[in-house]
Amino acid sequence: MNERYERGLELLQRVDGEGGAQVVDSLKDIAPDVGRYIIEFAFGDIYAREGLSLRDRELATIASLCTQGTCEPQLKVHIRGARNAGLTVEQVIETFVQLIPYVGFPRVLNAISAARGIIHKID
């Protein structure tokens, strides 16, 4: 394994724990390179950068996934990651509320629905 992979795997575990590992494992039989890209690029390069804390990176990620819509599986993983990185339940929900004027109620309601399942499992 290379340094990017090792660094990315450590960050993926720290932020997303079991959820991130499940995503990568789910790709092994059909698209193993995509799993490697997630580890090496997303976490080994981007998440490892200085300038933002893991908490802030997860805040940006859940906001972005909410605005895209139809990303609920990834949103669930990153809501868990946001909680693991230190965001409170209130901060997760407030992030989505902040987006209502920009993306509308349907996407925010979908994000809150995704959060409901995750938050009740964590708390």
Side-chain angles (χ1 to χ4, degrees), residues 8-78:
L9 193 58
E10 188 273 324
L11 280 169
L12 176 66
Q13 181 63 35
R14 196 163 118 203
V15 173
D16 292 332
E18 179 109 4
Q22 287 174 351
V23 170
V24 172
D25 286 344
S26 74
L27 296 167
K28 283 183 178 176
D29 67 332
I30 192 164
D33 287 342
V34 175
R36 185 173 48 81
Y37 298 152
I38 290 169
I39 293 170
E40 290 180 351
F41 177 67
F43 285 87
D45 291 342
I46 303 300
Y47 269 73
R49 291 175 55 86
E50 294 183 14
L52 289 177
S53 67
L54 289 176
R55 178 194 176 281
D56 292 343
R57 289 184 189 284
E58 284 299 309
L59 178 69
T61 301
I62 64 171
S64 177
L65 290 169
C66 174
T67 63
Q68 291 179 59
T70 68
C71 295
E72 284 77 13
Q74 293 80 19
L75 186 56
K76 288 178 181 181
V77 169
H78 285 283

